[in-house]
Amino acid sequence: MHSERAPFGLKLAAWGGLIFLHFPLAIIAIYAFNTEDAAFSFPPKGFTLHWFSVAAGRRDIIDAVLLSAQIACLATAVALVLGTLAAAALYRRDFFGKDGISLLLLLPIALPGIVTGLALLAAFKALNIEPGILTIVIGHATFCVVIVFNNVIARFRRTSYSLIEASMDLGADGWQTFRYVILPNLGSALLAGGMLAFALSFDEIIVTTFTAGHERTLPLWLLNQLGRPRDVPITNVVALSVMLLTMLPILGAYYLTKGGESVAGSGK
């Protein structure tokens, strides 16, 4: 009889990976509270909330956060619509070119960001579209669609088509079937895909660099701060705040979608 406990070496490797991933984040968190007169010293000399009040009063930070949130919301909305429709079209029917369409849908997230950014910039210039919020949203939606598509088509494949047939047999029209049968089964997949798409859009920097024009999102603001060493404590505060704000909805989504794999018609 084999033991269900993981070997000690495997546990050690797992903890080592976690520490490796989160150690830089811990350093940022510690230095966000470092005292004003020892902002660049190691180890930290004291504890202060001064930098939080300074960051809260900076209008450029607030504008960057609001712009990033606005763009992420718009890109996520576009991705939810297009990704769900694409998944609905591809999950069950076989037709000529289906594999090619699937590959084209997945290609934007597989390509390096710099390639996607250059391609989008060239396309916008050819169409005489000035870089701005619209071009950023389009650029972000190109890879956000992939995230939603993957989540939704996986849920479609685990949902029995007999549920839709039963709904139609009982007299429901297409809208009623979608509202009462399909949408409840897709709920957690849409939530997970939408939240991941929002997170990817919110912190995207490579594609944004090519499509932003004069707009400055939060990742671009943080990149610009690298050339301002006197603002390092404020940068740490902003980075810590973003980590905390994005962690809370992710935890909420985890608890809301926990057990969502046992959807109706999945055979469980």
Side-chain angles (χ1 to χ4, degrees):
M1 182 175 180
H2 297 284
S3 174
E4 295 182 358
R5 299 182 63 181
F8 175 77
L10 187 59
K11 291 181 181 179
L12 186 64
W15 279 107
L18 288 175
I19 294 172
F20 176 78
L21 290 173
H22 293 89
F23 180 76
L25 304 181
I27 294 296
I28 290 178
I30 292 172
Y31 273 86
F33 298 97
N34 199 15
T35 55
E36 180 179 0
D37 58 348
F40 304 100
S41 64
F42 182 85
K45 302 300 183 182
F47 179 89
T48 181
L49 296 176
H50 169 74
W51 301 116
F52 286 84
S53 61
V54 173
R58 290 273 296 266
R59 188 64 202 177
D60 57 332
I61 297 176
I62 297 174
D63 289 341
V65 171
L66 293 177
L67 179 61
S68 289
Q70 177 187 358
I71 291 170
C73 288
L74 293 173
T76 302
V78 173
L80 285 172
V81 174
L82 296 182
T84 303
L85 292 177
L90 294 175
Y91 93 100
R92 188 168 178 268
R93 301 293 183 184
D94 289 324
F95 54 89
F96 177 76
K98 177 181 177 179
D99 292 338
I101 294 176
S102 299
L103 176 62
L104 290 176
L105 280 169
L106 299 175
L107 198 58
I109 204 168
L111 290 173
I114 191 170
V115 174
T116 303
L118 283 170
L120 288 168
L121 180 60
F124 293 143
K125 285 186 176 296
L127 297 173
N128 293 321
I129 300 176
E130 290 296 325
I133 294 179
L134 176 63
T135 57
I136 301 175
V137 171
I138 295 173
H140 288 193
T142 57
F143 56 82
C144 288
V145 167
V146 182
I147 302 300
V148 176
F149 171 79
N150 283 336
N151 279 272
V152 174
I153 199 168
R155 179 56 54 83
F156 267 132
R157 288 168 177 167
R158 288 160 48 196
T159 303
S160 175
Y161 191 76
S162 61
L163 293 173
I164 300 175
E165 294 175 334
S167 175
M168 294 296 190
D169 289 342
L170 293 172
D173 57 27
W175 167 248
Q176 290 173 321
T177 300
F178 174 78
R179 180 181 177 184
Y180 296 111
V181 178
I182 299 176
L183 192 58
N185 281 280
L186 295 181
S188 58
L190 290 172
L191 176 61
M195 292 196 65
L196 184 55
F198 182 92
L200 289 176
S201 175
F202 191 82
D203 65 4
E204 166 59 37
I205 187 170
I206 300 177
V207 173
T208 309
T209 301
F210 290 94
T211 58
H214 298 293
E215 302 290 344
R216 179 175 292 183
T217 62
L218 185 60
L220 292 179
W221 182 89
L222 289 169
L223 179 63
N224 186 62
Q225 289 298 107
L226 294 178
R228 299 181 178 181
R230 292 184 178 274
D231 280 350
V232 167
I234 299 176
T235 306
N236 290 335
V237 167
V238 174
L240 175 62
S241 301
V242 171
M243 284 190 290
L244 293 176
L245 288 175
T246 53
M247 181 180 66
L248 292 176
I250 291 174
L251 290 175
Y254 168 74
Y255 285 107
L256 287 173
T257 58
K258 188 165 59 173
E261 66 276 1
S262 54
V263 296
S266 63
K268 297 187 178 181

